[in-house]
Amino acid sequence: MDKKFTITSDIPSPAHICPFDQACSYLDAAGKELKLNQGLLEILSNPRKVVTVSIPVKRDNGEIQVLAGHRVQHCNVLGPFKGGIRFHPAVTLREVSALAMLMTWKCALLGIPYGGGKGGIAINPKNYSATELERISRRYISELIKDIGPSVDIPAPDMGTSAREMAWMMDTYSVNMGHAVPGVVTGKPLSIGGSLGREMATGRGVMIIVREALKNKGKSLEGIRIAIQGFGNVGGAAAELLHQAGAKIIAVSTGSGGVLAENGLDIQDLKAYQKENNRKILGYPQAKPISNAELLTLPCDVLIPAALENQITDENVNQIQANLIVEAANGPVTLEANLSLEARGVTVLPDILSNAGGVVVSYLEWVQGLSYLFWDEQKVNDEMESLMVKAYLKVIQESQNRKISPRLAAYVLGVGRVAQALNDRGLYP
């Protein structure tokens, strides 16, 4: 399909694989399976709005720096745009556009009344002080103030951002509106309308999907050997919850490398070591060092890529030994590698299903903020688990009925729901 919408980028994506083109490839595959007409596919392949704003910021030393901030709003046919804001050096408009599109399918798959959005600034937050990051966050959101809102577009934390940045953004929006607007962002601190359960939500969702996938194969988590690339908010939470459920976490890693223990890591002890050593896990005395590349190829039952995109490619796919891969990161398996894994009989559960726990609890936080009625953590976790399990079962049933891979089944369900809504609403004018 000829893409009329063009996004340029000066920074190549990892492994020189274009995330936007890959996202469009998944859309095309789902469109063919659903027999969607060309005009409908053209609508779905183009973002509704792309905004790039100039962010002048005064550094602590008095220097003025001008940054570029992006926000891509893909499709709001099901509800307001929803998606994270990331502060990361590798942020590009193409990457943000791809992630906004994937968020549309993710929300539709989970039955959440949102469309996909994504934002970002190409900075390394480690190179900025807290006061500088506050200035950047506030100016960024003030430049977007006409394009966001609790019924328009609802940002959330992503790579390089957290509840702290969401608090600054919520306050900036609220000051401009003249009253507190807790529903304008999610992932906020509890003190200003955040939700219990949000911090562990994405990792908990990964754990639920791993558990359900094993149950579908007649297995339990007890004694299952799992390797996790990434030991941050998502990978760390997933490791902790899977360990508590009886799984054997044999390896985890961060950007600087990982650790391996064939008999299983004590995740709580490792987290304590990480906290005491400036978030580093290398040197942990109860395990031996291992590289990120080596971790991916370990013999294990379940592999969870929870770091960056394009980690499993055609260069290393033949070395992958896991029988089940659960994508906790966005796009960790390339299109070509995915086809190779499917041909070998390896089950790959896609990111739009596996890491959806975060957006589910963001949705629940939004609902609580709009109603000013807040729930206990057990209710939040129960509601999230119900939606995750239902989505998993739908994907597996669709996969079996159509005799297609779980990845394609997930896209068929997500794209199909959006396409149906577009048909039902009609085209304006």
Side-chain angles (χ1 to χ4, degrees):
M1 178 171 60
D2 182 30
K3 300 293 183 297
K4 296 179 181 178
F5 179 73
T6 302
I7 304 172
T8 59
S9 171
D10 296 328
I11 304 173
S13 61
H16 306 288
I17 296 168
C18 174
F20 186 74
D21 289 345
Q22 184 156 302
C24 286
S25 295
Y26 290 134
L27 168 59
D28 288 346
K32 289 176 183 176
E33 184 69 26
L34 290 164
K35 296 179 173 58
L36 298 182
N37 69 61
Q38 189 70 15
L40 194 55
L41 279 174
E42 196 68 30
I43 294 173
L44 295 176
S45 67
N46 292 304
R48 176 78 177 271
K49 181 183 282 191
V50 178
V51 182
T52 297
V53 298
S54 177
I55 307 169
V57 58
K58 181 180 286 188
R59 303 295 299 267
D60 291 342
N61 63 5
E63 174 191 347
I64 301 295
Q65 182 179 9
V66 180
L67 305 171
H70 307 299
R71 187 68 181 176
V72 175
Q73 298 171 334
H74 176 254
C75 178
N76 63 347
V77 68
L78 293 176
F81 303 104
K82 184 78 184 83
I85 293 171
R86 56 176 53 185
F87 292 175
H88 191 276
V91 165
T92 67
L93 195 50
R94 292 192 74 86
E95 177 197 43
V96 173
S97 299
L99 294 172
M101 182 187 291
L102 296 181
M103 183 61 82
T104 297
W105 318 140
K106 182 185 298 185
C107 293
L109 173 63
L110 270 292
I112 295 172
Y114 283 149
K118 206 72 173 185
I121 305 173
I123 59 170
N124 185 345
K126 294 179 181 178
N127 296 335
Y128 293 81
S129 69
T131 54
E132 290 171 335
L133 289 172
E134 181 173 358
R135 293 181 201 123
I136 292 168
S137 300
R138 288 184 181 276
R139 185 57 184 260
Y140 171 72
I141 217 68
S142 67
E143 292 291 341
L144 294 173
I145 208 152
K146 294 180 180 179
D147 295 297
I148 63 170
S151 60
V152 180
D153 186 352
I154 307 136
D158 204 282
M159 292 172 60
T161 58
S162 65
R164 179 184 67 175
E165 284 75 17
M166 294 306 106
W168 293 332
M169 293 179 186
M170 178 264 190
D171 180 70
T172 301
Y173 185 88
S174 297
V175 168
N176 278 271
M177 294 299 108
H179 57 89
V181 188
V184 69
V185 299
T186 57
K188 305 178 297 295
L190 291 173
S191 61
I192 55 173
S195 176
L196 293 166
R198 178 63 180 84
E199 187 176 350
M200 299 281 283
T202 308
R204 185 177 299 278
V206 172
M207 181 274 291
I208 290 168
I209 294 301
V210 172
R211 184 196 68 200
E212 294 302 306
L214 291 171
K215 185 189 298 184
N216 193 49
K217 297 175 182 290
K219 300 178 181 179
S220 72
L221 283 167
E222 190 67 38
I224 291 292
R225 292 165 56 84
I226 300 176
I228 303 176
Q229 185 199 44
F231 198 59
N233 290 341
V234 178
E240 183 177 342
L241 294 167
L242 287 163
H243 177 69
Q244 290 174 3
K248 187 180 291 187
I249 312 300
I250 63 169
V252 298
S253 67
T254 63
S256 57
V259 292
L260 167 67
E262 291 289 352
N263 293 323
L265 294 160
D266 184 330
I267 298 301
Q268 289 292 352
D269 189 56
L270 178 58
K271 283 197 166 186
Y273 177 88
Q274 184 184 36
K275 186 176 182 180
E276 293 170 1
N277 289 272
N278 196 27
R279 300 196 59 78
K280 295 180 180 178
I281 61 175
L282 289 180
Y284 180 59
Q286 309 302 322
K288 63 181 183 180
I290 187 173
S291 70
N292 271 290
E294 291 171 326
L295 182 145
L296 294 171
T297 62
L298 288 172
C300 58
D301 300 304
V302 181
L303 174 63
I304 303 175
L308 296 172
E309 66 270 19
N310 300 332
Q311 297 300 296
I312 300 176
T313 69
D314 53 1
E315 294 180 359
N316 64 357
V317 66
N318 291 329
Q319 302 171 50
I320 303 300
Q321 299 186 63
N323 294 316
L324 172 63
I325 297 175
V326 178
E327 294 184 327
N330 288 312
V333 181
T334 67
L335 178 61
E336 293 78 9
N338 186 78
L339 294 173
S340 178
L341 290 166
E342 289 175 4
R344 286 168 44 193
V346 177
T347 300
V348 182
L349 296 177
D351 47 8
I352 64 170
L353 170 67
S354 303
N355 67 17
V359 72
V360 170
V361 177
S362 279
Y363 163 62
L364 299 176
E365 178 182 333
W366 178 69
V367 168
Q368 293 171 76
L370 292 178
S371 65
Y372 290 88
L373 179 64
F374 295 91
W375 307 338
D376 61 39
E377 187 168 359
Q378 189 60 52
K379 179 173 174 59
V380 173
N381 290 341
D382 289 347
E383 292 287 341
M384 186 265 278
E385 179 160 348
S386 175
L387 287 171
M388 292 293 292
V389 171
K390 285 179 182 176
Y392 171 79
L393 293 175
K394 285 181 181 178
V395 168
I396 296 304
Q397 184 176 16
E398 192 78 5
S399 173
Q400 293 171 347
N401 290 345
R402 290 182 177 268
K403 295 181 173 55
I404 56 178
S405 69
R407 182 186 298 281
L408 182 53
Y411 278 89
V412 164
L413 288 166
V415 172
R417 184 176 180 221
V418 176
Q420 183 63 53
L422 275 171
N423 278 325
D424 290 343
R425 286 183 57 164
L427 186 62
Y428 177 84

